[in-house]
C-alpha cells in the first residue's frame, strides 16, 4: 500500500503533510521517546561546552571561542528539525503550514550553511596555530576572531534565501505529501506542477560551491597541517597536535560525508528511505556526537567540563 495515497483527500490543503517515518503507533511513540532523549542530550552536551568555555578564562582563546559558537550553532541546528519531528510522531494529520514549511526550509539550510563556514574557519585557526605558531597571536587576534564568527553567521543566512523564495513562488500540485521528516528541496521540487530547471540549476550550483570549496580548502589546510606535525621533533607535541586536529577532522568527515550525497542534485531521485536516513545522520546524530568528539579528545576541554560539572 502506498501510504501517501491515504492523504490524497488533503490535496486542497494550503500546507504540506510531512510523512516522516511511517510505522505503527507504538513504534512512533518509541521513536518519540528516543529522539526526545537524543534532543535533550544534544542540548545538554553543547550547552555544557558553551558554559565551560565561558566560565574558564584559560579557554578564552580563538580555538575555544570558535568551538563555543559552533556548539551554540548545533543547538539551533537540531532545534530547526527535531521539535517538529517530535510533534509529528504524536500527530495523526502530520500537517505543516506553507509558511511553517518554508521557514523550516530556510532556517535548516541557513544553519547548515553557517556550519560549513564555521568548519572552514576552525580549520584556518588550526592551520595558523600549528603551521604559523610564532605569528598566530598577531594574526588571530580577538578582533579577527570576532569578525570571522560574525561573517559565518551573516553569510550563512544570506546564502540560500533567493532560491528558497523562488521555490516558494512555484505552484504545487497533487497530494502535497512530503515523504520526509522536514521540508527539503528534493521532495518539494518533486511536488511542483511544472519542472523549474533554472531554479534546480541555481540550487545545485550554490550547493556545490558551498560544499566543495570549503571542503577542498579544509583538506588542503590539513595536508599542510599534517606535514607540519610530522616535522615536530617530540612525540608529545605530535600527539597534542593530532588530538586537537583529529576532533575537527572527525566532525568534518561526519558532516561532509553525508551532506555531499544529498544536495548537489536535489531532484536526483534518492530513495526516500535513504534520503531520510542520511539527513537524520547529519542533522540529528552529528550534533549529538560533536560534544563527545571534542571533549573526549581534548584534555583542556575535559578538564573544563569536569570543573563546570563539579566532578
Amino acid at each position: 500500500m502506498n501510504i501517501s495515497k491515504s492523504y490524497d483527500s488533503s490535496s486542497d490543503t494550503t500546507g504540506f503533510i510531512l510523512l516522516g517515518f511511517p510505522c505503527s503507533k507504538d513504534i512512533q511513540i518509541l521513536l518519540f521517546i528516543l529522539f526526545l532523549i537524543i534532543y535533550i542530550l544534544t542540548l545538554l552536551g553543547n550547552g555544557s561546552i558553551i558554559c565551560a568555555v565561558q566560565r574558564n578564562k584559560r579557554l578564552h582563546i580563538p580555538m575555544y571561542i570558535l568551538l563555543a559558537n559552533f556548539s551554540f550553532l548545533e543547538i539551533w541546528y537540531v532545534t530547526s528539525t527535531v521539535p517538529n519531528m517530535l510533534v509529528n510522531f504524536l500527530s495523526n494529520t502530520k500537517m505543516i503550514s506553507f509558511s511553517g514549511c518554508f521557514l523550516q526550509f530556510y532556517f535548516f539550510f541557513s544553519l547548515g550553511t553557517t556550519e560549513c563556514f564555521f568548519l572552514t574557519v576552525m580549520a584556518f585557526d588550526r592551520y595558523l596555530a600549528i603551521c604559523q605558531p610564532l605569528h598566530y597571536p598577531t594574526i588571530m587576534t580577538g578582533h579577527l576572531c570576532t569578525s570571522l564568527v560574525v561573517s559565518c553567521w551573516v553569510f550563512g543566512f544570506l546564502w540560500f534565501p533567493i532560491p528558497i523564495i523562488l521555490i516558494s513562488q512555484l505552484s504545487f500540485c497533487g497530494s502535497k505529501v512530503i515523504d520526509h521528516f522536514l521540508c527539503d528541496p528534493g521532495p518539494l521540487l518533486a511536488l511542483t506542477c511544472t519542472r523549474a530547471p533554472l531554479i534546480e540549476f541555481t540550487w545545485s550550483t550554490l550547493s556545490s560551491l558551498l560544499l566543495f570549496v570549503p571542503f577542498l580548502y579544509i583538506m588542503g589546510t590539513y595536508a599542510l597541517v599534517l606535514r607540519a606535525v610530522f616535522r615536530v621533533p617530540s612525540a608529545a607535541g605530535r600527539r597534542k597536535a593530532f588530538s586537537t586536529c583529529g576532533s575537527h577532522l572527525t566532525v568534518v568527515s561526519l558532516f561532509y560525508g553525508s551532506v555531499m550525497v544529498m544536495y548537489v542534485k536535489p531532484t536526483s531521485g534518492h530513495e526516500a528511505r535513504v534520503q531520510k536516513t542520511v539527513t537524520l545522520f547529519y542533522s540529528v546524530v552529528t550534533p549529538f556526537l560533536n560534544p563527545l568528539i571534542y571533549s573526549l579528545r581534548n584534555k583542556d576541554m575535559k578538564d573544563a567540563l569536569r570543573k563546570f560539572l563539579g566532578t
Side-chain angles (χ1 to χ4, degrees), residues 14-286:
T14 57
F16 298 96
I17 296 162
L18 287 175
L19 206 54
F21 301 93
C23 53
S24 67
K25 194 66 179 177
D26 289 341
I27 297 177
Q28 293 266 334
I29 292 172
L30 288 175
L31 289 174
F32 171 84
I33 295 170
L34 173 64
F35 283 106
L36 178 62
I37 292 171
I38 290 175
Y39 180 59
I40 292 172
L41 291 176
T42 302
L43 298 184
L44 291 174
N46 286 285
S48 295
I49 286 180
I50 295 169
C51 293
V53 172
Q54 192 268 330
R55 293 192 177 191
N56 193 322
K57 292 185 178 180
R58 289 182 56 212
L59 301 185
H60 291 182
I61 58 176
M63 174 183 172
Y64 294 108
I65 291 172
L66 291 171
L67 178 57
N69 276 273
F70 187 74
S71 294
F72 179 74
L73 166 66
E74 293 290 65
I75 288 173
W76 288 106
Y77 191 41
V78 75
T79 300
S80 68
T81 56
V82 173
N84 187 70
M85 187 179 7
L86 293 174
V87 171
N88 274 6
F89 281 134
L90 304 179
S91 170
N92 292 322
T93 62
K94 303 188 184 300
M95 285 289 302
I96 184 170
S97 66
F98 185 89
S99 58
C101 181
F102 277 92
L103 277 174
Q104 184 190 60
F105 188 5
Y106 172 69
F107 280 104
F108 178 73
F109 281 91
S110 295
L111 291 164
T113 302
T114 305
E115 180 156 344
C116 289
F117 292 148
F118 262 109
L119 290 172
T120 305
V121 169
M122 292 165 81
F124 172 67
D125 174 70
R126 289 300 83 207
Y127 164 77
L128 288 179
I130 294 172
C131 297
Q132 305 287 336
L134 298 179
H135 301 288
Y136 179 77
T138 57
I139 297 175
M140 187 56 80
T141 61
H143 176 72
L144 177 60
C145 183
T146 302
S147 299
L148 290 172
V149 167
V150 172
S151 297
C152 287
W153 285 101
V154 171
F155 286 109
F157 277 79
L158 292 179
W159 192 263
F160 278 122
I162 292 177
I164 290 175
I165 290 171
L166 292 176
I167 293 173
S168 71
Q169 301 305 306
L170 298 173
S171 298
F172 297 91
C173 301
S175 63
K176 297 189 180 178
V177 174
I178 299 175
D179 193 2
H180 212 307
F181 61 85
L182 56 81
C183 291
D184 189 81
L188 276 171
L189 288 170
L191 293 177
T192 56
C193 300
T194 57
R195 285 200 63 187
L198 182 59
I199 294 177
E200 292 176 17
F201 175 76
T202 302
W203 183 272
S204 295
T205 301
L206 288 174
S207 298
S208 298
L209 289 172
L210 173 67
L211 295 174
F212 288 106
V213 173
F215 180 73
L216 291 174
Y217 175 82
I218 292 170
M219 291 299 101
T221 298
Y222 273 104
L224 297 175
V225 167
L226 287 174
R227 187 178 69 174
V229 168
F230 285 123
R231 291 178 178 175
V232 175
S234 68
R238 286 195 297 271
R239 279 196 300 271
K240 185 175 181 180
F242 277 127
S243 68
T244 56
C245 296
S247 301
H248 185 248
L249 270 178
T250 302
V251 172
V252 168
S253 301
L254 289 173
F255 183 75
Y256 277 98
S258 52
V259 172
M260 281 185 173
V261 179
M262 302 305 301
Y263 295 113
V264 176
K265 290 186 178 180
T267 56
S268 58
H270 297 291
E271 185 184 346
R273 185 177 299 177
V274 174
Q275 193 176 44
K276 284 186 272 192
T277 302
V278 175
T279 305
L280 191 67
F281 184 80
Y282 73 77
S283 65
V284 179
V285 177
T286 301

